Amino acid sequence: MKYGFAEFVASLTNDFNPVIGSGYTHEDYIAIDLSAKNPQLLKLEQLSSEAFSVYIDHNLKIANKKIAYGGYAEVRNLYQRSQLFNENQEQYLNRNIHIGLDIWAPAQTEILAALDGKVHSFQDNTNFGDYGPTIILEHSFQQKTFYTLYGHLNRASLESLEVGGSVKAQQKIAELGAPFENGDYAPHLHFQLINDIANKKGDYPGVASEKDLSFYKQNCPDPNLLLKI
């Protein structure tokens, strides 16, 4: 069996490897479904970030949990509210398949580096429905270089960064942003693995169309292979 990028990333950690700090434990997490198949979202799909926050908080309260996560390869209708993901009228070209892992936590929650590495790039992606402040780290293990992306941060997270600056695993690198600065979403981290980043800096697609999904699933495998939530 060929040993690919997904298997390589999975081999780098043995246990739960958090990217959310602020004292949360593994037991605080619960999976949440934000896919187009979830009937509870039918009334929320075109509504505000506040409505999504209420929905997520309600699910956490029922489960007696503090952090929600999920969304890899999930088909979502919520992107219909933004032209960023609907650049062509033909449905098959529209981007609506999420290729990162979302972790839903309060604004200003600490964000941790998943692994040792260095700052590759950062940028405030200010389009409605975009990442908002974003950090990309570069990692090198076993002569292999790859990247992790952290999106929907607060603007203060970018203020003291320097390209090439070193980071250690579990070091605080940022904080989550509120809707007014994170692309207008309920506060959460978009965490993504990237094998080949090409010439991208401070940004990389986090939502794919069906026609491109095969490429992105290979280049950006499930982040939970690394985080093991």
Side-chain angles (χ1 to χ4, degrees), residues 95-117:
R95 293 191 289 150
N96 65 347
I97 304 173
H98 191 249
I99 51 172
L101 185 75
D102 282 341
I103 306 177
W104 305 81
Q108 299 183 351
T109 296
E110 295 180 350
I111 302 304
L112 312 177
L115 299 164
D116 292 349

Side-chain angles (χ1 to χ4, degrees), residues 54-190:
V54 170
Y55 174 77
I56 291 164
D57 289 345
H58 175 69
N59 279 269
L60 289 172
K61 184 176 181 180
I62 289 174
N64 194 28
K65 299 291 184 178
K66 298 178 181 178
I67 304 291
Y69 75 96
Y72 180 73
E74 195 170 72
V75 177
R76 292 178 171 176
N77 287 340
L78 63 92
Y79 300 119
Q80 292 176 2
R81 66 187 186 133
S82 174
Q83 286 298 113
L84 181 66
F85 304 105
N86 297 280
E87 297 152 350
N88 191 294
Q89 293 298 316
E90 298 179 66
Q91 180 63 37
Y92 76 91
L93 285 177
N94 290 347
R95 293 191 289 150
N96 65 347
I97 304 173
H98 191 249
I99 51 172
L101 185 75
D102 282 341
I103 306 177
W104 305 81
Q108 299 183 351
T109 296
E110 295 180 350
I111 302 304
L112 312 177
L115 299 164
D116 292 349
K118 64 181 179 180
V119 177
H120 170 269
S121 54
F122 55 92
Q123 179 171 289
D124 191 356
N125 298 290
T126 58
N127 289 317
F128 177 74
D130 210 330
Y131 286 132
T134 306
I135 297 173
I136 297 176
L137 300 183
E138 179 178 320
H139 311 277
S140 295
F141 291 89
Q142 302 172 27
Q143 298 183 323
K144 168 67 178 173
T145 298
F146 63 99
Y147 308 85
T148 54
L149 181 150
Y150 308 75
H152 307 302
L153 310 174
N154 64 15
R155 294 194 177 107
S157 299
L158 306 185
E159 291 177 357
S160 60
L161 289 180
E162 293 184 5
V163 171
S166 63
V167 297
K168 292 292 185 181
Q170 301 301 293
Q171 174 185 330
K172 178 184 174 181
I173 59 168
E175 294 180 351
L176 286 183
F180 75 89
E181 59 187 345
N182 76 358
D184 194 48
Y185 292 99
H188 72 287
L189 175 71
H190 175 98

Side-chain angles (χ1 to χ4, degrees), residues 196-214:
D196 180 2
I197 202 168
N199 61 351
K200 299 286 188 180
K201 292 183 178 180
D203 191 16
Y204 191 85
V207 182
S209 64
E210 185 175 357
K211 73 180 184 67
D212 294 328
L213 185 59
S214 177

